[in-house]
Structure formats: C-alpha cells, structure tokens
C-alpha cells in the first residue's frame, strides 16, 4: 500500500524505515529531500511538497518538529489538506498542543478527511527498534483504519478517547515527567559526585532498585556518565515541550512549578548556544556547572 510520509528528522527517518520494512511504499516529503537518500529508494517516491506526498493515498503520516510547521504542512499553499482524498486519514505524530490537534481536526472535517493524533514516547533508538509507545485520540473509525500503520511503528498503542487533542495532553504530561526526572537525577548524581561517590554506581543502584523503570535506567545512565552524544532529542525541541506544558498549565489553571523550573533550565542552555545539543546535556551540564564541577 502507498502512504504519504512527511518529516524525515531524527524520529521520522527510523519510523519511515520501519514502515518500508512492513511493506509500505512511501511518498516522502522533507524540507531537505537529501534526507530521503538513507531510505530504500525502490520503496519511496520523493515528493516536492506535502500536497504531493498526500496525493492519491489513503493515509499520510506527519512527524514534523512543531505546531506552526505542521499547520503550514497541512493548510499552507502546498499543504496536504488540498490533496488528501476524501475519507483519507492524517496520522499526526509530532509532539504538539491539543489546540493544534483540535484545529487540524476541524480543517480535515471540512475537507472530508480524518485527523488522528498519535504522538509517541521513545527516542530515535526506540523508533529504530520498533519500540515506540503510541498514544492515540480522535475518531474511532479513523483510529481503527490507522492501526496497522501504528502497529508497524511501536510496541503498544494506548487510546485516550475521541477528543482530538487528548493524546497530545498525555504526551505533554509524559514529557513533563521526563523533564522533571532529568533535573532530579542530575541533582542527585551531582550530589553524589561532590561527596566523593561514583555517579555511575549510584545511578545503577537506583535503576535496579527504588527507581526500577526505563526512564531512570536509560536516561540515568546518560546523566551519570555525562554521555551527551549522539543527539537524540535537541534541547530546542525540549524547550518547545516545556513551553507546551507551561502553556497548558496556564490555560487549564494548573500550577506546575516544576515545569517552570525545567523550562528555565532548557532556556538557559539554549541562551548559551546549546539548542542543537541533546536535552539531557542541558540538565546534566547545567546542574554540574551550578555545582562547580
Ligand atoms: P528533528 O528536528 O530531527 O526533525 C524535525 C522535522 O521537521 C524534519 O523533518 C525537518 O525537516 C522538519 N522541519 C523543521 N523545521 C521545518 C521548517 N521550517 N519547514 C519544514 N520542515 C521543517 O526532530 P525529531 O527529533 O525527529 O522530532 C520530531 C517530532 O517528534 C517533534 O515534535 C518532537 O518533539 C517529537 N518527538 C521526538 C522524540 C525524540 O527523541 N527525538 C521522541 C518523541 C517525540
């Protein structure tokens, strides 16, 4: 089956590779189309616009960086809305605000197509290993139609109802929990280091016992070992997620002091010129610098 795929960044590329492995032929669009050179050329058609990528296919997947860029790719002059067939489904997998999902749902409804939100948890390595956790929201029929595509990308699909932005709220809440965990681990391991202990031994202990969960184990290792390469998730995108959490906390009158703290940690790192470095570095290096190590 032919489907559209838009956005070949750190996440989009391994996701596209898994869809190809599952037997899909992809009509791909990316701002810099050279990114498509890494994909099996026999399984893709390179497109010049989002509209071209979504033409004559029942599904189009988007994995672009943020709200405004996604909106342009959907309803801009060469947006996918103009070409996606009636009854077609837009599977929107970026981390964006629930408002944007609501807006895009409305636009698709007017155009006779469907929109579902399907943001994911997992870094590029998890995407490559087909280990993403996918959260969904939107119309039941469209979600059911999209299921085989989502199954080709991850290890589990978790549904959060028919309100278009529901899954986006879950994704924002989850990334906030990761942000807070990064700050907490960076502080704890730096405390250990400053008191003469081996950061890695402390991280291993907690990861195996009290904090026996993937976030503490995987991110714990990176923070403990001060291992910030390769860049899996840019600090600039981390700030975007902290901003989404802060904004949602404001619009829903939910005070989130920890979200403000994480936001400022990322903002500081970006102000120092580290926006393209991994978000883990913003926390690991930021906390260490504050402590003079
Ligand atoms: P990335 O920066 O590697 O890729 C971003 C994509 O957006 C690229 O395809 C790029 O060409 C496109 N893009 C950026 N600016 C553009 C513009 N002005 N015009 C047109 N296209 C533009 O980002 P990523 O890490 O692949 O993340 C993609 C989405 O997935 C983001 O919403 C991110 O928050 C989310 N996400 C990332 C991770 C991760 O670990 N990297 C995990 C889960 C979710």
């Amino acid at each position: 089956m032919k489907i559209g795929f838009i956005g070949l960044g750190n996440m989009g590329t391994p996701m596209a590779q898994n869809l190809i492995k599952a037997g899909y032929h992809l009509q791909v669009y990316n701002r810099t189309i050279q990114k498509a050179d890494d994909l099996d050329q026999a399984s893709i058609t390179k497109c010049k616009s989002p509209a071209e990528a979504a033409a004559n296919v029942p599904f189009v997947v988007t994995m672009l960086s943020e709200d405004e860029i996604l909106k342009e790719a959907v309803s801009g002059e060469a947006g996918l809305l103009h070409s996606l067939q009636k009854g077609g489904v837009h599977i929107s997998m970026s981390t964006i605000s629930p408002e944007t999902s609501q807006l895009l749902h409305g636009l698709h409804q007017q155009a006779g197509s469907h929109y579902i939100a399907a943001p994911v948890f997992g870094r590029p390595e998890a995407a490559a290993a087909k280990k993403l956790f996918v959260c969904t929201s939107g119309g039941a029929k469209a979600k059911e139609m999209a299921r085989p595509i989502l199954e080709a990308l991850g290890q589990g699909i978790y549904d959060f109802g028919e309100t278009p932005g529901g899954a986006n709220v879950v994704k924002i809440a989850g990334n906030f929990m990761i942000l807070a965990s990064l700050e907490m681990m960076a502080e704890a391991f730096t405390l250990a280091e400053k008191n003469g202990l081996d950061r890695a031994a402390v991280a291993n202990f907690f990861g195996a016992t009290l904090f026996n969960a993937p976030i503490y184990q995987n991110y714990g290792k990176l923070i403990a070992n001060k291992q910030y390469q390769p860049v899996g998730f840019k600090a600039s995108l981390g700030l975007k997620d902290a901003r989404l959490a802060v904004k949602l906390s404001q619009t829903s009158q939910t005070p989130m002091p920890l979200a403000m703290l994480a936001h400022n940690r990322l903002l500081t790192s970006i102000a120092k010129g580290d926006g393209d470095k991994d978000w883990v570095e913003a926390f690991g290096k930021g906390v260490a610098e504050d402590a003079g190590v």
Side-chain angles (χ1 to χ4, degrees):
M1 183 198 280
K2 263 192 194 171
I3 61 174
F5 195 96
I6 298 173
L8 295 172
N10 287 331
M11 292 296 284
T13 300
M15 289 163 66
Q17 271 157 350
N18 278 332
L19 289 172
I20 289 170
K21 260 188 229 155
Y24 293 99
H25 181 99
L26 304 184
Q27 297 191 160
V28 294
Y29 170 75
N30 196 59
R31 180 176 46 167
T32 37
I33 195 63
Q34 289 85 337
K35 290 273 178 79
D37 293 348
D38 294 342
L39 302 174
D40 172 21
Q41 299 300 298
S43 305
I44 62 165
T45 304
K46 291 180 185 170
C47 299
K48 291 191 179 63
S49 67
E52 211 178 300
N56 307 312
V57 289
F59 297 96
V60 59
V61 175
T62 52
M63 197 46 170
L64 293 160
S65 50
E66 54 185 285
D67 293 55
E68 292 311 313
I69 290 161
L70 174 63
K71 284 188 213 167
E72 178 65 25
V74 175
S75 57
E77 223 172 278
L80 62 88
L81 201 61
H82 306 304
S83 64
L84 187 60
Q85 63 194 36
K86 295 241 177 305
V89 181
H90 172 191
I91 306 173
S92 171
M93 305 193 75
S94 310
T95 307
I96 52 160
S97 67
E99 288 87 350
T100 293
S101 275
Q102 189 68 50
L103 176 95
L104 297 183
H105 162 76
L107 292 176
H108 275 288
Q109 214 171 21
Q110 281 168 21
S113 45
H114 305 283
Y115 174 91
I116 66 165
V120 299
F121 287 101
R123 283 167 65 91
E125 309 85 78
K130 218 182 132 186
K131 290 235 162 99
L132 295 174
F133 292 111
V134 185
C135 298
T136 56
S137 51
K141 191 176 142 221
K143 284 186 295 199
E144 206 38 51
M145 284 160 68
R147 177 167 281 277
I149 292 175
L150 300 179
E151 280 173 349
L153 293 171
Q155 61 174 314
I157 302 169
Y158 297 80
D159 187 53
F160 292 93
E162 301 223 352
T163 305
N168 302 116
V169 175
V170 178
K171 174 62 189 166
I172 291 168
N175 266 25
F176 158 68
M177 291 170 79
I178 298 174
L179 285 167
S181 303
L182 294 177
E183 174 74 21
M184 181 184 76
M185 287 189 285
E187 290 181 20
F189 302 162
T190 305
L191 180 73
E193 179 183 352
K194 288 211 73 179
N195 286 280
L197 293 168
D198 176 5
R199 291 167 69 101
V202 174
N204 287 343
F205 162 67
F206 284 124
T209 56
L210 282 73
F211 293 85
N212 187 356
I215 291 298
Y216 299 115
Q217 290 161 349
N218 301 336
Y219 278 118
K221 244 182 223 113
L222 301 182
I223 290 186
N225 298 327
K226 301 183 180 171
Q227 185 197 319
Y228 307 131
Q229 297 283 341
V231 175
F233 187 55
K234 291 175 213 144
S236 56
L237 289 181
L239 179 66
K240 177 258 302 175
D241 291 355
R243 227 188 284 124
L244 289 171
V246 169
K247 185 167 174 228
L248 198 54
S249 89
Q250 288 166 344
T251 53
S252 59
Q253 295 195 347
T254 312
M256 292 176 72
L258 276 180
M260 291 305 300
L261 186 150
H263 175 276
N264 288 344
R265 177 71 74 197
L266 286 158
L267 190 60
T268 302
S269 163
I270 288 158
K272 289 179 175 176
D274 287 348
D276 283 339
K277 296 194 173 162
D278 201 280
W279 67 339
V280 174
E281 182 161 353
F283 291 88
K285 192 170 142 196
V287 169
E289 276 179 6
D290 287 354
V293 289

